[in-house]
Amino acid sequence: MGKLLELTNVHSYYGHIHALKGISLHVDEGEIVTLIGSNGAGKSTTLRTISGMIHAREGKVILGGTNITQHEAHVIVGMGAGHVPEGRGIFPKLTVQENLDMGAYTINDPKLIKERMELVFELFPRLKERILQYGGTLSGGEQQMLAIGRGLMLNPRILMLDEPSMGLAPVLVDVIFDTIKKLNEQGTTILLVEQNALMALSIAHRGYVLQTGEIVLTDDAEKLKKNEMVQKSYLGIE
Amino acid sequence: MKQFTSNPFYKFILFPIGQMLVFILGASLALSLFIILLAFLFRSNVTDFDLVERTLLILPQVLINGITIGFVYATIALGYTMVYGVLEFINFSHSEIFMVGGIVGVELMAYFDHTGALQTMNQYVVIGLAILLGMVISGSLAVTIERIAYKPLRGAPRLVPLISAIGMSFFLQDAVRLILSLTTGEFNVILPNFGTFDEFLILAVPGIENPLRFQIKSILLVGVTVIMLVGLNYLVNGTKVGKAIRAVAQDRPSASLMGINVNLIISITFLIGGALGGAAGVLFAIKATRLDPFVGFFPGLKAFTAAVLGGIGNLTGALLGGLILGLLESFGASYLSIFTNGAFGAEYKDILAFAILIIVLIIRPSGLLGQTVAQKA
Ligand SMILES: Nc1ncnc2c1ncn2[C@@H]1O[C@H](COP(=O)(O)OP(=O)(O)O)[C@@H](O)[C@H]1O
Ligand SMILES: [Mg+2]
């Protein structure tokens, strides 16, 4: 099991705001790794830096042995890193089917697109019922399913999920987390960003704790769950 | 129904043409009824002739003129609205892109004239080549302008690229003036005289006193713009590039996560908008016969207005807005002086058109087919 993704001393900025201050982390093939931390810690920025939506000013991002630090986002997707962004990023005025089509934008074989779409519908039968509905008219949970489904259309080597549980009813959160686990069992490597640290740590193999742009702690998920600092700050246990 | 709507012939040929017909007939009918009603109301004010009769007499021709110019506005308006849809930015240099297209087209025809080829060539081939060249030059110009003057400012506050666009407008006007003065010694370009474009196709319609007169120019103009609009509809709704354009317009960061090269799609958007503007420039030149580097200003302003009237960012809205504005202008030009006993002449046509625009925008700030900001989110 090699390292699929590796960040070394990554610094990212928004203008003058120094959002990531030397992040180093790695995700091995087949793992579920979670990134936890409070609001504004830099979790989303980490994912954005990996997927090329913003570029690191310092440090290196390696995906499958290739240095992708300065690659454009649309190139990185093609290299096997899927990113389901915070807030889902559904195209509100494209139908469910068209949204999934967009997920397969770089595929030219219509048969393959259809196959992948069927797999997504197996995972989320609800999407199939809403196939001709506009993305913007779906409920929050359905939009999250669509966002994940869309991210799976290219069959990525690593799927990065940014707060998939945000704004969802507990039942739906369970559905989403079960799906993530299932995907991982089928071979997809997962990098999961969550504020719901307890849920995240219960399905992850390892985790990193982020605080104001720096990694302050990393360990196996089981051990993080028992860590006093984590319990106090992120699990609400005194 | 589902099978019917997914039939490509219906979706990409019948539907857009049907939609155009509905818009033309709807707008024409509404304005005609309105003007006839006015004629009845004002009838007693005018004593030397019957106002209603006079109104009806010229009505068909007024409609034809309005629809013709309306299609020109619609074609230019599409350039504004496409770029706005994708970047939420008003490309104020679009009027100069239109102007350059027109001048390039006329210069090509003047060149054919100069070499003596013009009189022996098929007139439609000449026009076709001029339009093609106008599209290529204007399209490439639009792409280049975006790369040089807008792209570096993409993260800047919204006013900054706007100012850059206005600056680009002035730059293009003066650059064209300079080039023309250096090469031809003066900066008016005049369409060489050729072909049968000035002639009329006369159609007698039973029940209408005056036969309808369609100038060949106008038929050409409407024909070419209709073909381009159908083509655009197919491009945007029927192709992968079109889907990518819509995706970028709806959510740019998400689009890049789909593997869409956003910069390329933005360039393509400028290319399409610029090419449409260039074609409109050549068609406009055939009608106006005389162009100078500042000729883009008014058609550009009106087309922008048409885009806003229809709901900026909405392609169908640009078509509707262009047609309405063209019709309003034509109605104003023909009827203002008749209705006011000559107190307000045709030169007030723009005031009428813009007054109506303002009223529409007060009632519907997002334009006729536009969405409110809340809907868009
Ligand atoms: N688009 C942006 N422009 C400027 N600053 C941003 C932007 N996005 C995030 N930030 C800042 O970067 C830091 C990290 O944010 P983010 O990565 O979104 O945190 P998290 O996802 O952990 O809540 C915060 O201080 C936030 O204010
Ligand atoms: Mg975040």
Side-chain angles (χ1 to χ4, degrees):
Chain A
M1 294 242 188
K3 282 179 188 168
L4 182 52
L5 177 73
E6 185 171 24
L7 277 68
T8 319
N9 189 29
V10 166
H11 291 259
S12 289
Y13 293 77
Y14 296 102
H16 296 294
I17 300 170
H18 195 171
L20 298 187
K21 302 164 185 160
I23 297 280
S24 297
L25 60 82
H26 68 96
V27 182
D28 289 341
E29 223 150 322
E31 272 191 311
I32 300 182
V33 171
T34 182
L35 222 55
I36 57 179
S38 43
N39 218 344
K43 305 181 297 294
S44 299
T45 306
T46 306
L47 294 197
R48 286 186 202 127
T49 305
I50 298 167
S51 64
M53 298 172 83
I54 60 174
H55 294 293
R57 268 195 217 165
E58 222 183 287
K60 264 197 301 197
V61 182
I62 310 271
L63 175 69
T66 312
N67 186 340
I68 58 163
T69 318
Q70 297 304 325
H71 281 30
E72 298 289 334
H74 65 95
V75 178
I76 293 173
V77 183
M79 294 174 65
H83 180 177
V84 179
E86 193 171 18
R88 300 160 193 141
I90 293 300
F91 300 112
K93 290 202 287 177
L94 296 184
T95 62
V96 166
Q97 177 163 15
E98 286 175 319
N99 265 284
L100 292 174
D101 276 341
M102 293 317 305
Y105 185 76
T106 55
I107 302 181
N108 286 317
D109 174 9
K111 243 177 61 195
L112 184 60
I113 296 179
K114 218 169 150 66
E115 256 174 54
R116 293 268 169 85
M117 213 178 278
E118 283 308 321
L119 287 177
V120 170
F121 289 147
E122 253 170 60
L123 214 52
F124 302 115
R126 254 213 260 184
L127 290 181
K128 191 166 187 173
E129 296 161 21
R130 309 233 180 314
I131 187 161
L132 292 178
Q133 218 169 299
Y134 278 131
T137 66
L138 299 181
S139 73
E142 289 161 355
Q143 286 195 3
Q144 190 61 60
M145 293 174 192
L146 181 57
I148 296 175
R150 195 178 60 175
L152 290 172
M153 289 297 287
L154 289 182
N155 192 19
R157 299 171 68 186
I158 178 166
L159 187 64
M160 303 188 281
L161 301 157
D162 197 343
E163 306 215 21
S165 74
M166 191 164 40
L168 300 190
V171 201
L172 280 170
V173 174
D174 288 342
V175 172
I176 298 291
F177 274 83
D178 284 348
T179 310
I180 295 171
K181 222 172 151 185
K182 193 155 125 197
L183 285 170
N184 179 251
E185 281 159 12
Q186 290 167 0
T188 310
T189 306
I190 306 274
L191 178 55
L192 173 66
V193 160
E194 261 302 334
Q195 281 208 46
N196 188 340
L198 186 61
M199 285 294 271
L201 288 173
S202 60
I203 64 165
H205 301 110
R206 290 190 300 118
Y208 292 86
V209 179
L210 219 60
Q211 243 172 40
T212 57
E214 285 173 288
I215 288 173
V216 292
L217 191 61
T218 174
D219 211 331
D220 289 344
E222 278 310 313
K223 289 186 187 143
L224 281 179
K225 253 203 243 179
K226 293 183 191 123
N227 182 289
E228 204 178 322
M229 189 274 269
V230 173
Q231 288 194 339
K232 226 167 129 179
S233 310
Y234 305 107
L235 303 180
I237 303 168
E238 287 296 324
Chain B
M1 186 65 192
K2 206 185 127 205
Q3 258 162 351
F4 186 52
T5 48
S6 60
N7 178 333
F9 177 73
Y10 168 83
K11 202 167 157 193
F12 299 124
I13 309 275
L14 280 188
F15 178 75
I17 291 182
Q19 193 178 44
M20 276 182 228
L21 281 178
V22 168
F23 285 171
I24 290 172
L25 292 178
S28 300
L29 202 68
L31 283 172
S32 301
L33 288 177
F34 180 68
I35 202 78
I36 291 167
L37 184 73
L38 275 186
F40 274 107
L41 289 177
F42 279 70
R43 196 177 209 172
S44 52
N45 293 8
V46 184
T47 45
D48 13 342
F49 55 85
D50 183 359
L51 190 58
V52 175
E53 204 172 287
R54 175 76 68 93
T55 300
L56 287 173
L57 191 67
I58 61 173
L59 185 58
Q61 206 56 50
V62 172
L63 290 173
I64 290 170
N65 294 345
I67 290 163
T68 310
I69 191 71
F71 268 107
V72 177
Y73 292 157
T75 310
I76 310 171
L78 282 166
Y80 284 103
T81 224
M82 281 193 74
V83 166
Y84 186 86
V86 169
L87 287 180
E88 298 205 359
F89 152 74
I90 310 287
N91 179 15
F92 269 116
S93 71
H94 191 59
S95 49
E96 274 55 53
I97 290 165
F98 160 83
M99 172 273 291
V100 167
I103 287 188
V104 164
V106 173
E107 286 290 330
L108 180 73
M109 292 186 263
Y111 170 78
F112 285 146
D113 193 27
H114 189 69
T115 59
L118 191 62
Q119 303 305 331
T120 58
M121 288 168 82
N122 179 312
Q123 57 180 359
Y124 296 105
V125 173
V126 174
I127 296 289
L129 288 175
I131 291 175
L132 214 61
L133 186 69
M135 289 177 87
V136 170
I137 299 285
S138 289
S140 337
L141 182 65
V143 172
T144 313
I145 290 175
E146 194 272 329
R147 281 286 151 104
I148 296 175
Y150 306 152
K151 192 176 165 209
L153 303 173
R154 219 177 271 162
R158 294 165 74 107
L159 275 179
V160 177
L162 209 62
I163 289 166
S164 180
I166 293 171
M168 203 29 113
S169 260
F170 287 127
F171 171 78
L172 286 174
Q173 288 175 357
D174 282 327
V176 170
R177 189 171 67 158
L178 183 68
I179 294 169
L180 287 176
S181 322
L182 290 179
T183 51
T184 64
E186 70 158 323
F187 54 81
N188 284 315
V189 298
I190 294 162
L191 186 76
N193 204 349
F194 73 106
T196 56
F197 298 115
D198 290 330
E199 289 168 17
F200 285 87
L201 189 86
I202 296 178
L203 197 67
V205 181
I208 296 182
E209 201 172 328
N210 282 5
L212 297 181
R213 291 155 54 85
F214 298 93
Q215 205 174 13
I216 307 273
K217 277 178 185 184
S218 307
I219 299 175
L220 178 80
L221 196 152
V222 172
V224 172
T225 48
V226 168
I227 292 170
M228 287 195 305
L229 296 181
V230 170
L232 179 71
N233 175 63
Y234 173 71
L235 192 73
V236 172
N237 293 314
T239 66
K240 199 164 174 172
V241 169
K243 215 181 272 176
I245 290 178
R246 285 186 289 148
V248 172
Q250 289 175 39
D251 191 330
R252 208 188 307 167
S254 263
S256 73
L257 291 180
M258 302 295 108
I260 296 171
N261 183 344
V262 171
N263 285 327
L264 181 67
I265 293 298
I266 290 174
S267 289
I268 291 174
T269 307
F270 273 85
L271 180 72
I272 297 169
L276 288 173
V282 179
L283 293 168
F284 180 82
I286 295 166
K287 207 148 167 65
T289 68
R290 184 188 181 94
L291 301 183
D292 63 49
F294 311 102
V295 78
F297 183 72
F298 277 107
L301 190 62
K302 285 184 192 155
F304 169 60
T305 307
V308 174
L309 180 65
I312 191 141
N314 182 317
L315 299 188
T316 317
L319 175 64
L320 182 62
L323 284 170
I324 290 179
L325 205 71
L327 281 167
L328 281 176
E329 188 179 309
S330 172
F331 272 74
S334 307
Y335 287 120
L336 265 176
S337 83
I338 301 179
F339 273 72
T340 59
N341 259 327
F344 293 98
E347 64 274 17
Y348 286 90
K349 64 182 198 287
D350 294 339
I351 295 184
L352 177 79
F354 281 92
I356 290 177
L357 168 85
I358 291 168
I359 293 169
V360 170
L361 289 183
I362 287 172
I363 300 168
R364 266 191 78 86
S366 51
L368 292 170
L369 301 184
Q371 291 165 319
T372 62
V373 176
Q375 270 173 311
K376 211 175 165 187

